Amino acid sequence: MGKFEGNSALLQILQDTGVGKSSIVCRFVQDHFDHNISPTIGASFMTKTVPCGNELHKFLIWDTAGQERFHSLAPMYYRGSAAAVIVYDITKQDSFHTLKKWVKELKEHGPENIVMAIAGNKCDLSDIREVPIKDAKEYAESIGAIVVETSAKNAVNIEELFQGISRQIPPLDPHENGNNGAIKLGKQTSQTGYKSKSVS
Ligand SMILES: Nc1nc2c(ncn2[C@@H]2O[C@H](COP(=O)(O)OP(=O)(O)OP(=O)(O)O)[C@@H](O)[C@H]2O)c(=O)[nH]1
């Protein structure tokens, strides 16, 4: 493995409650799945460093609460993010509609070059699927987003999701920024007043 280049990306995970956002982050960061995971309050922050080619990439992940009452907080996190993961539940058509609303919001109010990744979660439940994979692929292609079906429960495509994002985020020019190739994170948001959710 090559030397640590200091590449890091700030990510925001978005969508309605119950689609499995926290479970995806928990699987990625801790390789753990909890059937009785509790709803996120406010937002939760986690980091994970993974090898990517000759470098190590550090993910700084904001997992925001999906409940309606927390929606107004989301911009505080995505405005400073290099990438956004928008999760839907393949067994719930409604969650796919909501995903499109989040994409619209990100396009209107998010950072100009934000990398968007769509995760169709709960693919272990494909026998009760409501969203055909074809629909997700066509939609992702139309907006230039990464798309993958995941199962946080069975650890399917979780690493691939984050690796895909990692490949799409361009490193900064180190001469321009003097920060050893680190990805620009934009404005850091204040964490005051937010509780973290434990996913262990
Ligand atoms: N079968 C299955 N269930 C899952 C999967 N991922 C999450 N779940 C379950 O879905 C429910 C909601 O998961 P969470 O990770 O809390 O969902 P969330 O989107 O973070 O919800 P909020 O924190 O309220 O925004 C929990 O009962 C999980 O165990 C999956 O891949 N497969």
Side-chain angles (χ1 to χ4, degrees), residues 83-88 96 99-100 102-104 106-107 113-120 133-149 161 164-165 168:
V85 182
I86 313 138
V87 184
Y88 71 95
F96 192 59
L99 172 141
K100 292 177 181 175
W102 278 114
V103 169
K104 190 165 175 278
L106 278 172
K107 281 186 177 288
N113 296 321
I114 193 165
V115 171
M116 285 194 265
I118 295 174
I133 189 162
K134 183 173 155 284
D135 291 6
K137 282 189 174 163
E138 279 174 10
Y139 179 66
E141 202 174 314
S142 75
I143 59 162
I146 299 164
V147 63
V148 67
E149 284 199 346
L161 170 67
I165 293 164
Q168 294 255 328

Side-chain angles (χ1 to χ4, degrees), residues 64-78:
T64 42
Q67 290 173 47
E68 183 67 39
R69 64 194 165 114
F70 296 116
H71 279 191
S72 59
L73 300 180
M76 298 178 66
Y77 301 102
Y78 67 63

Side-chain angles (χ1 to χ4, degrees), residues 60-196:
L60 315 174
I61 307 168
W62 280 111
D63 168 22
T64 42
Q67 290 173 47
E68 183 67 39
R69 64 194 165 114
F70 296 116
H71 279 191
S72 59
L73 300 180
M76 298 178 66
Y77 301 102
Y78 67 63
R79 277 189 198 131
S81 294
V85 182
I86 313 138
V87 184
Y88 71 95
D89 176 342
I90 68 153
T91 73
K92 300 223 161 46
Q93 186 70 50
D94 279 0
S95 70
F96 192 59
H97 289 141
T98 311
L99 172 141
K100 292 177 181 175
K101 286 190 201 156
W102 278 114
V103 169
K104 190 165 175 278
E105 176 165 341
L106 278 172
K107 281 186 177 288
E108 282 171 11
H109 304 292
E112 205 178 328
N113 296 321
I114 193 165
V115 171
M116 285 194 265
I118 295 174
N121 194 39
K122 308 195 186 180
C123 70
D124 54 288
L125 300 177
S126 61
D127 48 335
I128 52 165
R129 116 173 10 248
E130 288 185 2
V131 184
I133 189 162
K134 183 173 155 284
D135 291 6
K137 282 189 174 163
E138 279 174 10
Y139 179 66
E141 202 174 314
S142 75
I143 59 162
I146 299 164
V147 63
V148 67
E149 284 199 346
T150 56
S151 169
K153 183 179 177 188
N154 292 350
V156 176
N157 281 340
I158 303 293
E159 290 285 337
E160 289 77 0
L161 170 67
F162 288 90
Q163 289 284 352
I165 293 164
S166 190
R167 282 193 295 270
Q168 294 255 328
I169 297 177
L172 285 184
D173 179 349
H175 303 296
E176 217 175 85
N177 298 278
N179 61 357
N180 196 25
I183 286 162
K184 189 177 181 186
L185 300 181
K187 186 179 64 166
Q188 292 291 328
T189 51
S190 163
Q191 298 176 26
T192 314
Y194 299 100
K195 291 185 197 162
S196 275

